[in-house]
Amino acid sequence: MFKAKNIAAVALLAAVYTAIKILRLTGIFGSYHEITIAQICINMLLACSLNLITGFAGQFSLGHAGFMSIGAYACALIIIRFPSVYGFMLGLIAGSLASAVVGLAIGIPTLRLSGDYLAIATLGMAEIIKVVFFNLKITNGAAGLMNIPRLMNWEWMFCLTAGSVALINNFINSRHGRACMSIREDEIASQSVGIDIALYKIAAFAIGAFFAGISGGMYAAYFYVLKPGIFGLLKSIDILVIVVLGGLGSISGSIIGAALLTLISALLQDFASLRMIIYALMLIAIMMFRPQGLLGTNEISFALFTRALKRESAK
């Protein structure tokens, strides 16, 4: 039996898909709008996967762009060699698995680290990956990969984003996800009730890296150029800002934050000189007046609206 919230989620997804499909078919949405939608979808998946590591498992990571770059380059190299849907699927799987393996490789030696120390370690990992791509012949070094076949369309983008976010959400709502959240709150108490802290920390890194690799494959199959500089520190910070803006520990918040910040960045493109100033002032205001993020640890649901209405009526 489907629960009411599942039916509502499916209905909302169907409405979004249908609305954008109609807007594209009628010509109301042009190439500019399609690029913006693609960026929103990619950022949503990146934010949700990082939130799994940082917001739910409590592991402060600053290297998420590195996982994305592995998925992007692996997928691009394969679809250049096999420019077909099957090549794209193979590249997506290979890139996401490669990212997960690197996530495991990072998660195991950094088990004893936390907070700022873990952030520095993951940042170093991301920089190492970028330097490797800068110096590999197969990735064409600093020049990057050009003329990558565009095999990603709206249907693929929607299905991969919605499916991946649903899988992340299901993991979080499972007993494994609750174990990750208990580790975030208190590692000693979690260990005392039999939770394998090391296992779940590594699992969070691997799963988050896996979905970051999928987002990288989506990026490679939609945009025509890949360069190592795209996946630098600023990209990791952008993803972290989206997560903090939406709310650490909220999938709905990551989705809303990704859509909001991507749209704001797109609207401010005509004001290049003021773009970063406006962007920074907006973030400062949010951190001052809403430090827990837009949703905090809440998820959008009928129950949330009901509680909000009750609080308003009680005033």
Side-chain angles (χ1 to χ4, degrees):
M1 294 290 290
F2 283 103
K3 295 182 179 179
K5 63 179 182 180
N6 294 333
I7 296 174
V10 172
L12 179 60
L13 288 173
V16 170
Y17 174 84
T18 304
I20 294 179
K21 185 74 173 179
I22 292 173
L23 291 171
R24 291 178 66 249
L25 292 175
T26 55
I28 298 175
F29 272 10
S31 58
Y32 171 79
H33 300 95
E34 291 184 11
I35 290 173
T36 303
I37 292 171
Q39 290 173 333
I40 289 173
C41 290
I42 292 169
N43 286 338
M44 281 181 180
L45 182 50
L46 282 169
C48 289
S49 59
L50 179 59
N51 210 344
L52 172 61
I53 298 173
T54 302
F56 290 95
Q59 307 301 302
F60 188 21
S61 174
L62 267 180
H64 217 55
F67 299 134
M68 180 187 180
S69 66
I70 295 171
Y73 271 99
C75 186
L77 290 170
I78 291 175
I79 61 178
I80 288 173
R81 182 69 182 274
F82 305 103
S84 65
V85 173
Y86 299 106
F88 167 61
M89 294 174 65
L90 177 62
L92 204 64
I93 294 170
S96 56
L97 290 176
S99 297
V101 170
V102 174
L104 282 172
I106 296 301
I108 293 173
T110 58
L111 280 175
R112 296 182 180 275
L113 300 178
S114 61
D116 299 339
Y117 301 103
L118 180 60
I120 293 170
T122 53
L123 174 60
M125 174 275 302
E127 290 301 307
I128 290 172
I129 293 172
K130 187 175 74 171
V131 171
V132 169
F133 286 140
F134 261 119
N135 292 278
L136 284 178
K137 289 184 178 180
I138 193 173
T139 61
N140 204 23
L145 299 176
M146 306 288 184
N147 301 318
I148 301 170
R150 188 175 186 178
L151 300 174
M152 178 71 65
N153 53 28
W154 165 238
E155 287 74 18
W156 274 106
M157 191 74 68
F158 177 84
C159 291
L160 286 172
T161 304
S164 297
V165 171
L167 288 174
I168 293 172
N169 188 62
N170 285 341
F171 173 81
I172 290 169
N173 290 318
S174 69
R175 66 184 182 90
H176 304 294
R178 289 190 289 273
C180 289
M181 287 185 276
S182 71
I183 293 171
R184 175 194 65 190
E185 297 299 328
D186 193 322
E187 289 190 13
I188 297 176
S190 300
Q191 192 171 28
S192 68
V193 296
I195 293 175
D196 191 333
I197 295 176
L199 175 64
Y200 282 109
K201 281 185 176 181
I202 295 172
F205 257 102
I207 295 171
F210 178 87
F211 287 105
I214 291 179
S215 68
M218 292 165 61
Y219 184 95
Y222 188 84
F223 298 97
Y224 301 95
V225 178
L226 281 184
K227 292 185 178 181
I230 297 173
F231 309 102
L233 173 61
L234 289 179
K235 184 61 179 177
S236 292
I237 292 177
D238 282 344
I239 305 166
L240 182 62
V241 167
I242 291 172
V243 173
V244 174
L245 172 64
L248 288 167
S250 173
I251 294 297
S252 302
S254 294
I255 294 171
I256 293 173
L260 183 62
L261 284 188
T262 306
L263 287 173
I264 290 173
S265 296
L267 292 173
L268 293 177
Q269 283 182 353
D270 294 334
F271 307 96
S273 58
L274 297 175
R275 179 182 176 187
M276 293 309 298
I277 296 176
I278 297 173
Y279 189 78
L281 288 175
M282 182 194 68
L283 292 177
I284 291 171
I286 291 172
M287 291 300 100
M288 288 179 61
F289 299 106
R290 186 72 180 178
Q292 70 271 38
L294 296 176
L295 292 183
T297 57
N298 297 310
E299 301 289 351
I300 293 179
S301 64
F302 292 117
L304 179 64
F305 287 118
T306 302
R307 289 196 299 269
L309 289 172
K310 287 181 179 179
R311 284 196 298 266
E312 289 296 324
S313 61
K315 290 181 180 180

